[in-house]
Amino acid sequence: MDSVSVNPNRRPVGNTSPCVLQEAGKVEEELEGFIRVYRNGSVERFSYVVPNVPPSDKPTEPVASRDVVIDAATRVWVRLYLPAERNGKLPVVIYFHGGGFVLGSPAWSIYHTFMCRLASEINSVIISVAYRLAPENRLPAAYDDCFGAVEWVRQQAAGSRTVQTAKAPKEAEESWLRSYCDFSRCFLAGDSAGGNTAHHVAIRASKKDVKPLHIRGAIIIQPFFGGENRSAWECETCDPALTQKWIDVFWKLSLPVGASRDHPSCNVPNSTTLQHVLLPPILLCISEQDVMRERNLEYYEALRRAGKNVRHVIFKDVGHAFQLLQPQSPRIQELTRDIRDFINKY
């Protein structure tokens, strides 16, 4: 066991001795190799299936990375990615990882690899956000943390000195952001649950004054949506990257207690708010074999009916999270090309 996190009002599981596990009670939910939730609210998390990797800012790296704590109270942090080859200041992409709001981290090896590649191929600074996870912190905690990251970037754009690196927390001047970022060209992005989050954070940002930061667009990849009624596609599709069991556990653990899957955080395509909110231009990336495909297409149609500026791209012969799980797929180059073209357009 690598780490244990707990409901703040519950006793932690601690070491997995029989007496401690007996006190924690029956296991209520488990995603093998990732998380185990006990009846008393205790949570065990594991990292032996997908390992965590550290950042690296060695001069020889094609993309340097660095971890920065942005909120000491919540311990929310970000991993910054800076391409070695750059001419002038670069666009900023604030990225939200997937994992059903329950799993995931910028430190996951599969995310770190993809972020390094993405930063290089779109020639942008990427800020990947480590938001708080459910069930310890249910929605809207992820939205709060990710909008908090937008606010933190806004503070950097305004010249506030709040950066705290893990190695040198007091060296506030050590900021890649002010040195290398074009804050007039900021984009929100995310995949799966992070795509869901990008949608909600874009709505929040449209209601706030985030100047001198200018959010030019949102890149929403395979967004994780749902609803009380399963579609025929969801029932018939077998996507090993996102099974029905995992979907059920993710929503059970992440939605507010007592909420159904028609909650606005989940059933976004049928949310009435789309007609009444401002959204930046959206690039919606859909995988042809993804169990979320029909939900994603519903989202596209809802945005279009609401008069939003949205373009969708369907990637053939791949499923959910292919950019993480199939690193040799030629579709990744297509994805990064579409993202680069979108950023260059705005």
Side-chain angles (χ1 to χ4, degrees):
M1 184 176 67
D2 295 286
S3 63
V4 177
S5 54
V6 296
N7 181 320
N9 296 319
R10 302 290 187 179
R11 179 170 176 155
V13 171
N15 296 324
T16 53
S17 63
C19 61
V20 172
L21 293 181
Q22 183 177 6
E23 183 178 343
K26 179 182 177 182
V27 174
E28 291 208 336
E29 297 293 346
E30 181 171 6
L31 297 174
E32 188 174 355
F34 291 92
I35 188 171
R36 185 180 296 147
V37 181
Y38 292 88
R39 176 172 292 174
N40 75 343
S42 300
V43 177
E44 284 183 287
R45 295 184 179 276
F46 311 93
S47 62
Y48 55 82
V49 175
V50 182
N52 293 325
V53 296
S56 176
D57 59 0
K58 296 178 182 178
T60 56
E61 297 285 350
V63 175
S65 55
R66 180 178 297 177
D67 290 345
V68 179
V69 176
I70 65 170
D71 189 322
T74 61
R75 294 183 294 179
V76 171
W77 57 277
V78 298
R79 180 162 291 183
L80 308 179
Y81 294 88
L82 177 68
E85 294 185 10
R86 53 186 180 270
N87 293 316
K89 292 195 173 185
L90 304 179
V92 182
V93 177
I94 305 175
Y95 198 95
F96 313 126
H97 67 76
F101 302 105
V102 174
L103 308 174
S105 167
W108 270 16
S109 58
I110 53 177
Y111 269 109
H112 183 75
T113 298
F114 178 57
M115 290 296 101
C116 286
R117 177 173 180 174
L118 185 62
S120 176
E121 295 189 9
I122 67 175
N123 198 29
S124 299
V125 174
I126 295 180
I127 302 168
S128 185
V129 184
Y131 53 85
R132 290 172 295 168
L133 300 174
E136 302 95 322
N137 300 279
R138 290 175 176 264
L139 292 172
Y143 304 155
D144 295 341
D145 292 346
C146 290
F147 183 75
V150 173
E151 175 61 22
W152 178 79
V153 176
R154 185 199 68 77
Q155 292 173 359
Q156 307 314 304
S160 299
R161 297 186 172 184
T162 60
V163 174
Q164 298 180 349
T165 64
K167 292 182 180 179
K170 294 182 180 180
E171 295 180 9
E173 293 81 6
E174 186 68 20
S175 173
W176 285 355
L177 297 182
R178 290 190 294 276
S179 300
Y180 302 115
C181 291
D182 179 356
F183 293 109
S184 70
R185 299 180 65 210
C186 178
F187 296 82
L188 307 177
D191 67 280
S192 195
N196 176 312
T197 301
H199 166 84
H200 286 281
V201 171
I203 291 176
R204 289 197 186 188
S206 72
K207 299 176 181 178
K208 301 285 187 178
D209 182 4
V210 296
K211 293 178 182 178
L213 197 65
H214 292 270
I215 296 176
R216 300 295 187 182
I219 301 152
I220 298 180
I221 305 169
Q222 307 145 352
F224 183 55
F225 298 142
E228 278 296 293
N229 299 318
R230 296 195 205 275
S231 68
W233 174 260
E234 288 174 313
C235 294
E236 296 167 1
T237 300
C238 180
D239 186 343
L242 188 61
T243 67
Q244 290 298 336
K245 175 190 174 181
W246 283 57
I247 292 171
D248 291 344
V249 171
F250 285 154
W251 288 125
K252 180 178 178 180
L253 295 181
S254 65
L255 285 171
V257 175
S260 77
R261 290 196 200 179
D262 286 330
H263 188 278
S265 291
C266 179
N267 199 346
V268 172
N270 293 308
S271 172
T272 58
T273 61
L274 293 179
Q275 297 284 346
H276 310 293
V277 297
L278 295 174
L279 285 169
I282 291 174
L283 174 65
L284 176 60
C285 302
I286 302 172
S287 295
E288 184 182 43
Q289 297 176 358
D290 190 349
V291 67
M292 290 284 116
R293 186 188 75 183
E294 297 305 301
R295 299 278 182 190
N296 293 177
L297 289 171
E298 287 179 4
Y299 176 59
Y300 167 71
E301 292 296 336
L303 290 170
R304 195 176 57 82
R305 289 194 303 271
K308 308 307 178 187
N309 183 350
V310 56
R311 173 181 175 244
H312 78 303
V313 182
I314 299 178
F315 297 89
K316 302 291 186 181
D317 304 319
V318 288
H320 197 76
F322 74 88
Q323 70 280 4
L324 305 175
L325 305 177
Q326 301 174 43
Q328 303 306 316
S329 172
R331 300 290 178 259
I332 300 178
Q333 187 172 2
E334 296 174 14
L335 173 65
T336 59
R337 179 199 63 206
D338 287 326
I339 294 173
R340 182 184 65 243
D341 291 347
F342 180 77
I343 289 174
N344 290 340
K345 181 177 179 180
Y346 295 101

